[in-house]
Amino acid sequence: MAVGNTSTSVRELTLRGVILGGLITLVFTAANVYLGLKVGLTFATSIPAAVISMAILRYFANHSIIENNIVQTIASAAGTLSSVIFVLPGLVMIGWWTGFPLWTTTAICAVGGVLGVMYSIPLRRALVTGSDLPYPEGVAAAVVLKVGDSTRGEEESRTGVRMIATGALVSAGFALLANLKALATDVALYFRVGPAGSMFGASLSLALIGVGHLVGLAVGIAMLAGMLISYGILLPVYTIGKFGAGESNADVISTVFAKDVRMIGAGAMAVAAVWTLLKIMRPIMRGISASIASARGRRDGQLVDVTERDIPFPIVSTTSAVLMIPIAILLWQFAHGSVLSGSSAGVIVVSVMFIAIIGFIAAAICGYMAGLVGSSNSPVSGVGILVVVIAALSIKATFGAADDTQALALMALTLIATAVTFCAATIANDNLQDLKTGQLVGATPWKQQVALIIGVVFGSVVIPPVLNLMQTAFGFTGAPGAGDKALAAPQAALISSLAKGVLGGSLNWTLLGVGALIGVAVIVADEVLRRASRFHLPPLAVGMGMYLPMSLTLTIPLGAFLGHLYDRWAERTGGDVERKKRIAILMATGLIVGESLYGVFFAGMVAATSKDDPFAIFPESGNIAEIIGVALFAVVVWWLYQRARTVSRESTG
């Protein structure tokens, strides 16, 4: 239920909020760029930004929950824009760039990000207000903001803050123990059964338990089904005959998963994404119609509730169209200084059309994924895979035969078009989550959308110098002149290799086709289940379970099952059931908050010391560390849910 924003005196989009959001952006965006390039992962910044905002703004007069929401909106938009690092380093890896040109990189981030904001506005009515998607991280951020709001009941506020603090301290403490090398947070076992092989692995992440609790049982089961398809069927089949003398099981199995199974998962995600888009097309069109009607009503003097006031659709559509001009100029400037000069008109026109159309489709898909599992766990790199393949095919078909020099230039052009599209998609992924938070706390949509644009501008300014710093200090694996300490940038390496594979004719279409067939089978199974029972199997969640590593797809369902058991306990014991459930939601939120904030701190320490493990004080202990980690993880999770039950009993009498 939203907190009504009916008073015009409530401060929302303020100068101090914008400044604070910008300062938080500097830290979070830099940390995300570093971690993303090093290990291929980024963290959602919404919840940590909300916590920091509340801690600072509470010392200022007339602060409000919706002003705090604006701060986290700015910071999270900028932090999410850092996902462009999954594409842009590819230009250095293929030898086209030697660094990141300031204005070109800024322009790519800015136009792509603002386009993503524009695309997310009509999607808000389709995927947020007109949808029952759970938006786990958006809901969690709203819970954090509500609990920190001084206007709420003293007792419930204190209880909520204690539960968030408990979860946060425990998850941060557990992560610290891991960085001290006192325990392991990843467990992996690689094994063979005859000529085939597979693995078992889990990430001992309390934040993932929290995410699982928030996404619910249906998504958890679907992800588990996808994991079983990949690790129980595909991986054993595709490892047959791959084990050679002197090769470890871990190396062979990891390689097969990365090169074969994950590509099949991408194919399944592609079909599921198209099906999802077809199913949400009607609510998207209704959302656009409602947005137009709202703008017309306001123009005619009709009173529209502030919580339903978007940036008017005529402005959204005009801005989206006008943005194609700087995009075309950006592509023209690129082609003008290359071997494509004089023969680039066709590919530029096709690239602009590609960005406009595929950008919206990718934004809708990524927005849906944020609603399904949250932006932290959305496999946006999987969407990046699909985008780069479609972009490369479109450009190749338009340009025709190309020599080696032209092929390299076309590859670079493909990566630039993909980067702009990817920015739009990932921003929509985060924006819809933020707009869900805004809906729950009673924010004004158009003010939040302006804040999102401000966040994009902040991020666009911060990202290029950080990328150049990383290139100068470390370089990227596979790039010319890369040294021993080069950053892996795994997604950028994969996406650039896909562009090369399509343009060079070496892409394995069979794997994508196998994934597509599996995706069709899952869609059919889901439709049958929906008609014959109360169960369903979200196809996109199954595809995500196939694509993501088991360390994620095992821990999230575990959290979903634990959350389901807790909710059953709350219903069975009676009393104020909703408040009991809310206590556990706060605890789960705290788990995400604590690990996220600690991740920011640790990233800063890694960057400051130039050491991979600046806190390591215990010697590497292998299996012992894993045993300690599993045992402590189980005890901590059990204690957290027992604590939630105890607090629930006390607070509900």
Side-chain angles (χ1 to χ4, degrees):
M1 181 177 178
V3 178
N5 175 14
T6 57
S7 173
T8 57
S9 63
V10 178
R11 307 186 71 174
E12 187 169 3
L13 184 58
T14 62
L15 178 60
R16 68 189 182 192
V18 170
I19 293 173
L20 180 56
L23 292 175
I24 296 174
T25 288
L26 293 173
V27 177
F28 283 3
T29 304
N32 254 339
V33 169
Y34 180 84
L35 287 180
L37 291 172
K38 187 172 181 62
V39 299
L41 294 173
T42 57
F43 56 90
T45 55
S46 299
I47 294 172
V51 173
I52 294 171
S53 173
M54 289 186 300
I56 295 175
L57 287 184
R58 69 170 59 250
Y59 294 105
F60 291 84
N62 302 319
H63 64 86
S64 67
I65 185 173
I66 53 178
E67 185 181 16
N68 281 311
N69 180 57
I70 288 292
V71 175
Q72 71 86 14
T73 296
I74 292 172
S76 65
T80 298
L81 194 62
S82 63
S83 295
V84 74
I85 61 171
F86 293 161
V87 182
L88 281 184
L91 289 161
V92 175
M93 292 176 171
I94 65 173
W96 189 262
W97 281 356
T98 56
F100 297 90
L102 178 61
W103 293 113
T104 302
T105 307
T106 300
I108 290 172
C109 295
V111 296
V114 175
L115 187 64
V117 175
M118 293 300 108
Y119 283 167
S120 69
I121 292 172
L123 291 173
R124 182 186 76 86
R125 294 177 183 269
L127 298 179
V128 177
T129 61
S131 167
D132 59 356
L133 289 169
Y135 285 96
E137 290 178 358
V139 172
V143 170
V144 171
L145 290 168
K146 287 180 180 180
V147 170
D149 183 20
S150 60
T151 63
R152 300 196 66 191
E154 289 286 335
E155 181 184 351
E156 184 170 355
S157 179
R158 283 196 300 268
T159 301
V161 169
R162 281 200 304 269
M163 286 309 299
I164 291 177
T166 298
L169 290 172
V170 170
S171 62
F174 194 86
L176 174 60
L177 288 175
N179 290 140
L180 293 173
K181 300 300 181 183
L183 51 84
T185 55
D186 291 287
V187 178
L189 173 65
Y190 298 86
F191 56 88
R192 290 178 61 180
V193 179
S198 189
M199 68 160 293
F200 173 86
S203 175
L204 305 179
S205 166
L206 292 172
L208 292 179
I209 292 291
V211 169
H213 184 110
L214 295 175
V215 300
L217 193 60
V219 172
I221 292 175
M223 292 185 70
L224 193 60
M227 183 196 76
L228 292 175
I229 292 171
S230 284
Y231 289 88
I233 300 174
L234 297 175
L235 196 54
V237 169
Y238 281 87
T239 51
I240 294 175
K242 297 292 179 66
F243 295 95
E247 290 186 284
S248 69
N249 291 345
D251 288 342
V252 172
I253 292 169
S254 297
T255 300
V256 170
F257 177 78
K259 291 187 176 180
D260 297 336
V261 176
R262 203 164 196 182
M263 193 65 68
I264 294 173
M269 281 181 56
V271 170
V274 172
W275 177 250
T276 299
L277 180 66
L278 292 175
K279 293 190 73 172
I280 64 176
M281 188 57 70
R282 182 177 294 178
I284 287 174
M285 297 309 297
R286 283 201 305 264
I288 293 174
S289 298
S291 183
I292 294 172
S294 176
R296 187 184 300 118
R298 289 170 62 187
R299 188 174 60 250
D300 295 340
Q302 180 182 340
L303 182 62
V304 178
D305 190 272
V306 292
T307 59
E308 288 300 320
R309 296 179 186 173
D310 292 296
I311 293 177
F313 187 76
I315 295 178
V316 172
S317 56
T318 301
T319 302
S320 300
V322 169
L323 282 171
M324 296 303 128
I325 297 175
I327 290 172
I329 293 173
L330 183 69
L331 295 172
W332 179 83
Q333 286 182 331
F334 164 82
H336 183 68
S338 73
V339 294
L340 301 179
S341 180
S343 57
S344 61
V347 290
I348 290 175
V349 171
V350 167
S351 296
V352 172
M353 292 174 61
F354 168 84
I355 291 169
I357 298 170
I358 301 300
F360 182 79
I361 294 173
I365 293 168
C366 284
Y368 185 87
M369 289 194 299
L372 200 62
V373 295
S375 62
S376 293
N377 299 286
S378 294
V380 291
S381 56
V383 175
I385 289 171
L386 302 177
V387 168
V388 74
V389 168
I390 298 171
L393 285 171
S394 303
I395 289 173
K396 182 179 182 179
T398 303
F399 191 85
D403 58 33
D404 290 344
T405 306
Q406 290 173 324
L408 180 62
L410 290 173
M411 195 185 309
L413 183 68
T414 299
L415 291 177
I416 289 177
T418 300
V420 175
T421 308
F422 195 67
C423 283
T426 54
I427 280 295
N429 177 260
D430 175 77
N431 286 2
L432 289 169
Q433 174 181 275
D434 288 336
L435 291 169
K436 179 64 176 181
T437 302
Q439 178 202 23
L440 294 174
V441 302
T444 308
W446 76 262
K447 292 182 180 179
Q448 200 172 0
Q449 289 150 8
V450 170
L452 290 167
I453 296 172
I454 293 172
V456 165
V457 173
F458 277 135
S460 301
V461 172
V462 172
I463 289 171
V466 176
L467 276 172
N468 273 316
L469 176 64
M470 296 300 164
Q471 162 65 8
T472 302
F474 304 108
F476 305 111
T477 302
D484 295 337
K485 295 183 179 180
L487 299 168
Q491 284 89 346
L494 174 59
I495 286 174
S496 59
S497 66
L498 285 171
K500 183 177 181 180
V502 172
L503 293 167
S506 60
L507 186 65
N508 192 335
W509 290 100
T510 302
L511 295 175
L512 289 173
V514 171
L517 290 175
I518 294 174
V520 170
V522 172
I523 290 170
V524 172
D526 179 52
E527 291 301 312
V528 170
L529 282 173
R530 287 178 183 271
R531 285 166 172 75
S533 68
R534 60 187 180 88
F535 299 104
H536 64 286
L537 201 66
L540 194 54
V542 175
M544 289 160 58
M546 293 174 61
Y547 177 83
L548 293 172
M550 183 186 284
S551 59
L552 295 179
T553 50
L554 189 61
T555 310
I556 291 175
L558 175 60
F561 281 111
L562 291 172
H564 175 70
L565 292 175
Y566 179 91
D567 289 347
R568 291 284 299 274
W569 167 84
E571 293 165 359
R572 189 173 61 251
T573 54
D576 191 342
V577 174
E578 291 305 313
R579 190 170 184 183
K580 287 181 178 180
K581 291 182 179 180
R582 192 158 58 246
I583 291 295
I585 290 174
L586 291 168
M587 181 270 292
T589 299
L591 297 179
I592 300 172
V593 169
E595 195 166 310
S596 298
L597 287 177
Y598 178 79
V600 175
F601 169 72
F602 183 71
M605 293 303 298
V606 170
T609 62
S610 298
K611 294 180 179 179
D612 292 343
D613 297 303
F615 297 156
I617 60 174
F618 292 97
E620 296 284 350
S621 51
N623 292 337
I624 296 176
E626 290 185 358
I627 293 171
I628 294 173
V630 171
L632 185 59
F633 185 77
V635 170
V636 168
V637 171
W638 175 84
W639 180 84
L640 284 166
Y641 276 99
Q642 287 299 114
R643 179 61 183 164
R645 289 187 178 189
T646 301
V647 173
S648 295
R649 293 191 193 99
E650 293 173 352
S651 63
T652 58

